[in-house]
Amino acid sequence: MDKNQILEKLAAVVMDGTEDEAKVLAQAVVANKIDPLEAIEQGLSKGMEIIGGRFERGEAYLPELLMAAASFNAAMAVLKPEIEAQKKQLVKLGKVLIGTVKGDVHSIGKDIVASVLDTSGFDVVDMGVDNPSLNIIQQAEKIQADVIALSSVMTTTMPAQKEVIDTLKEMGIRQKYFVIIGGGPVNPEWADRIGADGYGKSAIDAVALVKGLMAKKK
Amino acid sequence: MIIVGELINASRKAITEAIKNRDVEAIQAVACQEHEAGAHYIDVNAGIFLEEEEDYIRWLVQTVQAVVEGPCSIDTPNPKAIEAGLSVHQGTPMINSISLESDRYNKMIPLLAGTDCRIVALCMSDEGMPKTAEDRLRVADKLINGLVQNRIPLENIYVDPLVQPISVDRTFGIEFLKAIALIKEKFVGVHAMCGLSNVSYGLPGRPFVNQTFMSMAVALGLDGAIINPLDKRMMANIIAAEALAGRDNFCMNFMKAHRAKKFEF
């Protein structure tokens, strides 16, 4: 296999291959001395983008998106040590702090968004569920996040999304972060009403949203 | 099978509008359809309205019960909205739902203790969503004991083991099903109920997945469902599944349904 073939196969394996196949291909990247960063950019990420587009158009379904993320991660597990050994750095598109708000223990939607953002090239820090507003803000300050992504899956916990934004304002650091929101009962009107920087309906939506916001920053 | 009609839910656009405009006729039309289709309880949900939820729940209960001779299922995790619904409800309502999340649990128990409300007990706790059948049993155990200690009879408790999408984790379907069997075996007399459309989230062909899942759940002891009672295929599916599960004496209900042409779509 030449380099282009391997890159093409990497994209293909993300789209519809297994984790094991992805791992074998990543090992081929290393064996053939292909630049691992190029393999990610021209292979794995390309595959993620294509599957993301299909998902958005309703041609691919959630399990396919999640399987793609699993294959992506399996290949990354092989490539990451190589990148570190070459003292190269994976350029991240931005740092996203994600979590479910206080009083809400739902994790599935948030996990999917975190995983897809991660495989789309963002540095994602996942705080898990039931996070008091102040904890979220402290963590954002600590890791110097660009974006705070807040999930709320119950109407009763949606006000906690507002609380985070209001607290950021009170602390005078609202402009330091983009705050985006999502979750079953959340909608764009709610995002407007509480002064969020954006709303995403799906994980793929979230990728476009965060990319757009990061472009504004530059 | 106890059927709870799920259509009066503010997350549905037509209902959002009807609630906002206080459109009595629109709400009553849906309630009547659900009732005629065989719903034992008419679920009322005004969750998306946050601040106005209490008022809307009160209005929904009154509006529905003005035309339907039957109870409502008051669908909210908000204790104040439940109180509002209870204040005007005629007969014995279902409360949808309590969970083991401490805030929700502690506020709701005083409202429900000693009443004869039917109570949906959702298997969710401060530790999050349960993954395995055993996780669900542990939460159900605490919930059931808590409710019984607060003078809620076992047969008024409807445990909802919490359906999660198989698109996310292929074990979510089977673990839910196993949980039904475990819970019904350990707590004889308790009911198992659920809203099951979540199981097919993220998949194509959702109605087909939902119907199949319903059949499997009925086999393991599900005896309550929060569904769209106007979905004829689902309703037919439940009738056949109950007969197959040995819960239809001499298959009488099945044949009655046949004569009422419930298997013709």
Side-chain angles (χ1 to χ4, degrees):
Chain A
M1 270 195 298
D2 69 17
K3 181 171 133 187
N4 284 335
Q5 275 177 316
I6 292 179
L7 294 180
E8 262 171 44
K9 282 200 170 176
L10 273 174
V13 84
V14 167
M15 285 185 279
D16 61 2
T18 65
E19 290 168 70
D20 287 342
E21 288 163 352
K23 200 170 140 191
V24 169
L25 270 172
Q27 283 159 348
V29 168
V30 178
N32 287 281
K33 299 202 169 21
I34 297 169
D35 178 359
L37 290 175
E38 203 181 339
I40 295 168
E41 212 164 287
Q42 302 299 320
L44 298 174
S45 295
K46 234 181 193 170
M48 269 319 284
E49 256 171 54
I50 296 172
I51 197 80
R54 284 186 190 164
F55 178 78
E56 205 165 31
R57 292 191 297 275
E59 297 159 15
Y61 297 97
L62 187 56
E64 291 165 306
L65 190 67
L66 296 181
M67 190 168 153
S71 297
F72 183 100
N73 286 330
M76 283 298 277
V78 177
L79 296 180
K80 259 191 190 149
E82 288 303 310
I83 297 168
E84 274 155 30
Q86 295 178 20
K87 299 216 186 302
K88 284 186 179 169
Q89 269 215 319
L90 210 53
V91 181
K92 291 288 185 177
L93 300 176
K95 197 175 255 185
V96 182
L97 179 67
I98 190 168
T100 305
V101 295
K102 183 170 159 13
D104 199 323
V105 296
H106 290 86
S107 61
I108 292 177
K110 183 264 302 161
D111 290 348
I112 295 171
V113 173
S115 155
V116 174
L117 281 174
D118 178 61
T119 53
S120 301
F122 292 95
D123 188 359
V124 180
V125 177
D126 186 347
M127 291 186 74
V129 299
D130 192 11
N131 292 290
S133 302
L134 266 181
N135 289 15
I136 296 173
I137 294 168
Q138 279 165 359
Q139 185 68 7
E141 290 278 285
K142 190 172 149 203
I143 65 166
Q144 298 187 299
D146 299 300
V147 177
I148 301 174
L150 302 170
S151 171
S152 160
V153 182
M154 300 192 296
T155 50
T156 44
T157 58
M158 279 164 60
Q161 294 179 324
K162 182 172 184 290
E163 188 183 275
V164 172
I165 292 176
D166 291 345
T167 311
L168 283 170
K169 280 183 196 159
E170 274 167 40
M171 295 168 77
I173 51 174
R174 173 67 184 89
Q175 73 293 344
K176 276 173 81 176
Y177 306 101
F178 293 117
V179 181
I180 62 172
I181 62 172
V186 177
N187 57 36
E189 291 80 47
W190 175 246
D192 273 351
R193 208 170 121 193
I194 66 172
D197 297 297
Y199 157 81
K201 188 171 172 57
S202 70
I204 298 301
D205 249 18
V207 173
L209 175 63
V210 178
K211 278 187 179 165
L213 291 173
M214 291 310 294
K216 268 195 215 168
K217 194 161 191 167
K218 279 159 196 164
Chain B
M1 173 74 77
I2 298 292
I3 305 286
V4 180
E6 70 182 3
L7 294 179
I8 303 182
N9 189 310
S11 65
R12 298 174 65 235
K13 273 227 172 79
I15 300 295
T16 315
E17 289 307 308
I19 294 177
K20 264 193 203 157
N21 303 328
R22 301 257 176 165
D23 186 341
V24 170
E25 275 173 36
I27 295 294
Q28 289 182 338
V30 178
C32 287
Q33 283 171 353
E34 292 193 290
H35 184 67
E36 275 156 30
H40 302 98
Y41 293 83
I42 309 296
D43 195 78
V44 290
N45 173 305
I48 66 157
F49 291 106
L50 305 173
E51 297 94 344
E52 304 96 329
E53 189 183 11
E54 291 167 55
D55 284 343
Y56 284 146
I57 284 283
R58 195 179 298 120
W59 176 76
L60 282 171
V61 169
Q62 286 172 323
T63 305
V64 167
Q65 289 200 312
V67 288
V68 169
E69 212 170 306
C72 289
S73 152
I74 302 172
D75 181 1
T76 170
N78 172 2
K80 289 221 170 90
I82 287 183
E83 221 173 343
L86 283 175
S87 72
V88 293
H89 190 276
Q90 315 273 330
T92 308
M94 181 173 273
I95 302 300
N96 181 16
S97 56
I98 193 170
S99 76
L100 203 60
E101 293 159 280
S102 27
D103 193 43
R104 185 161 164 187
Y105 181 86
N106 292 332
K107 284 186 182 150
M108 229 171 254
I109 282 287
L111 283 178
L112 303 176
T115 67
D116 59 356
C117 292
R118 310 297 189 260
I119 298 173
V120 180
L122 186 63
C123 288
M124 202 145 106
S125 71
D126 293 333
E127 274 106 80
M129 318 265 284
K131 285 205 149 177
T132 65
E134 288 73 23
D135 289 345
R136 289 175 165 87
L137 182 64
R138 263 195 302 279
V139 178
D141 194 335
K142 287 185 190 156
L143 269 172
I144 293 169
N145 277 303
L147 288 168
V148 169
Q149 279 161 18
N150 282 284
R151 294 166 284 131
I152 305 290
L154 205 54
E155 58 274 15
N156 286 355
I157 302 172
Y158 289 75
V159 177
D160 181 341
L162 197 71
V163 174
Q164 287 166 274
I166 53 165
S167 60
V168 173
D169 183 326
R170 68 188 163 132
T171 67
F172 279 165
I174 190 69
E175 292 300 323
F176 171 89
L177 295 169
K178 282 188 199 159
I180 292 179
L182 285 176
I183 291 163
K184 296 215 60 167
E185 190 186 297
K186 185 157 180 201
F187 302 97
V188 177
V190 86
H191 302 278
M193 96 167 318
C194 68
L196 54 74
S197 58
N198 211 8
V199 77
S200 59
Y201 176 83
L203 291 178
R206 293 187 66 178
F208 187 64
V209 178
N210 295 345
Q211 281 166 36
T212 308
F213 192 59
M214 175 63 87
S215 301
M216 297 167 82
V218 168
L220 288 167
L222 189 81
D223 57 1
I226 307 168
I227 55 169
N228 170 9
L230 307 186
D231 178 347
K232 287 190 170 167
R233 283 181 192 274
M234 180 58 95
M235 294 296 275
N237 189 298
I238 290 171
I239 293 164
E242 288 211 290
L244 288 164
R247 302 217 295 263
D248 182 2
N249 229 354
F250 293 98
C251 303
M252 288 305 280
N253 195 37
F254 182 86
M255 286 177 305
K256 203 173 120 196
H258 164 73
R259 295 198 173 101
K261 302 200 187 309
K262 287 194 178 170
F263 304 123
E264 290 170 23
F265 308 112

